[in-house]
Amino acid sequence: MTRMNGRPSIESVAAAVGVSPTTVSHALSGKRAVSAATRKRIMEAVEQQNYRPNMVAKGLRSQRTQSVALLLVDIANPYYPAVARAIHDVLAREGYVSFIGNTDGDAATERRLLEEMAARGVDGVVMQPMALSAAQVREVVGPAMPLVITTDEYDDIPADSVLTDDTRGLCEAVDHLVGRQIRELGFIDGPPAVSTDSFRLEAFRGAVAAGGVEVPDRWIEHAPFDREGGEAAAARLLAGPDRPRALLCANDLIAIGAMQAAHAAGLRVPEDIAIVGFDDIETAALVSPQLTTVVNPAAAVGDACARTILWRMENGPGAPYKQTVLPTRLVVRQSA
């Protein structure tokens, strides 16, 4: 029979085939053996009736919604869609739907989206928190929620984590510049409210110290993580006679903005000012001059996040937290 609203149901499929609803359920889930002939008849009835399982009812029975929340900083930044696509592809193969939320690195938005996703019953959360600490994120979602964080924190993370070795890539960048006899290095980091003393800035400080380079505080600027912010910050650094000979930037959008500021100031890149980005978004190889940048492997990050959240959902909250650290590397193009 069909339901009162006329929509096909597991009962209507069972009636058409002459089996029990339980047998239909087993055939669809694959969790119990059903003869090939019976399964064929069930699938034909499913197709004829255009039956689709009620995921809400299924979730109530299994306490799973087959959904994962992806909370990203800025979906307009090409890096994050690349991460999201890799996560989506892995999760989709396992039957999971991904819900994407944009946080803008704002504490209130991060907290609100976390609360909303937990209330909607998602099976797990993948997030790069910018304003909240990893401990604060865990506090919002509770102790049992499967949680994977991509973060600058390394120690005492109360969640599974996927990290990138930013120091390695920045050390390669500093060594490359010093090898070109450029020691006057500046850095444009993200907004102070988000990333003062951030790991990427600290990675830069560690890299220049390892290279025996001293960087005055006046050559360190902060900017929004976008092209306009990079252009404004670079313009400030390049305005006076006492300016750096190279700018390393916290992401590629900032670096592209810095190149625009250099052109506006009548400076040649890289002859007068060398510029290095971070992330290696697709645009990095399309601008002129092509951007030298640190490869932050978006697809590998997304793949690791998805596989880790699947592992956590399978193993439950009792297993020790897992930390994955992915390497970065410098790709030399024309801007430095």
Side-chain angles (χ1 to χ4, degrees), residues 19-83:
V19 297
S20 71
T22 301
T23 300
V24 175
S25 178
H26 292 337
L28 294 176
S29 69
K31 292 182 179 179
R32 298 282 182 87
V34 176
S35 72
T38 299
R39 186 178 189 281
K40 181 175 183 294
R41 289 163 52 215
I42 288 172
M43 298 312 294
E44 287 173 350
V46 165
E47 186 68 24
Q48 290 169 0
Q49 296 187 24
N50 194 28
Y51 168 68
R52 296 292 181 268
N54 185 324
M55 298 306 294
V56 174
K58 183 179 179 182
L60 290 173
R61 291 192 298 270
S62 66
Q63 299 298 303
R64 301 285 283 271
T65 60
Q66 294 297 114
S67 61
V68 172
L70 312 181
L71 302 187
L72 307 177
V73 178
D74 181 10
I75 58 176
N77 181 334
Y79 177 77
Y80 293 107
V83 173

Side-chain angles (χ1 to χ4, degrees), residues 37-294:
T38 299
R39 186 178 189 281
K40 181 175 183 294
R41 289 163 52 215
I42 288 172
M43 298 312 294
E44 287 173 350
V46 165
E47 186 68 24
Q48 290 169 0
Q49 296 187 24
N50 194 28
Y51 168 68
R52 296 292 181 268
N54 185 324
M55 298 306 294
V56 174
K58 183 179 179 182
L60 290 173
R61 291 192 298 270
S62 66
Q63 299 298 303
R64 301 285 283 271
T65 60
Q66 294 297 114
S67 61
V68 172
L70 312 181
L71 302 187
L72 307 177
V73 178
D74 181 10
I75 58 176
N77 181 334
Y79 177 77
Y80 293 107
V83 173
R85 177 57 190 265
I87 295 173
H88 169 273
D89 287 350
V90 174
L91 293 181
R93 289 195 294 268
E94 300 299 324
Y96 283 85
V97 172
S98 305
F99 296 127
I100 295 179
N102 190 84
T103 70
D104 289 322
D106 173 71
T109 304
E110 288 182 348
R111 186 176 295 274
R112 176 179 59 79
L113 286 174
L114 284 168
E115 291 171 347
E116 286 186 3
M117 292 301 176
R120 292 175 184 272
V122 296
D123 296 329
V125 174
V126 177
M127 180 184 188
Q128 181 181 16
M130 296 292 283
L132 300 181
S133 68
Q136 288 172 318
V137 172
R138 172 56 74 191
E139 181 181 353
V140 173
V141 301
M145 172 69 78
L147 174 64
V148 175
I149 286 179
T150 62
T151 177
D152 293 339
E153 302 175 54
Y154 266 76
D155 301 321
D156 301 323
I157 303 173
D160 299 306
S161 55
V162 175
L163 316 175
T164 53
D165 186 356
D166 293 3
T167 300
R168 172 176 169 177
L170 286 170
C171 280
E172 289 186 14
V174 170
D175 288 346
H176 170 69
L177 293 167
V178 171
R180 291 192 52 211
Q181 306 303 311
I182 300 174
R183 303 180 66 85
E184 301 84 6
L185 309 182
F187 189 77
I188 305 178
D189 199 19
V194 172
S195 55
T196 299
D197 297 323
S198 73
F199 182 77
R200 198 157 287 176
L201 175 56
E202 288 307 303
F204 168 74
R205 293 186 188 278
V208 294
V213 176
E214 294 185 7
V215 177
D217 289 342
R218 66 182 181 277
W219 286 354
I220 295 176
E221 272 283 354
H222 293 274
F225 287 109
D226 55 33
R227 180 181 54 78
E228 293 82 0
E231 184 174 10
R236 293 190 294 270
L237 286 169
L238 301 177
D242 178 26
R243 58 174 174 81
R245 276 275 293 110
L247 293 178
L248 292 88
C249 303
N251 76 3
D252 287 341
L253 294 180
I254 291 176
I256 292 169
M259 286 201 294
Q260 291 178 308
H263 295 322
L267 300 174
R268 299 168 299 164
V269 179
E271 293 84 358
D272 300 319
I273 181 75
I275 295 175
V276 178
F278 203 109
D279 282 342
D280 195 30
I281 62 176
E282 184 177 8
T283 311
L286 302 178
V287 294
S288 181
Q290 293 180 329
L291 183 64
T292 293
T293 186
V294 175

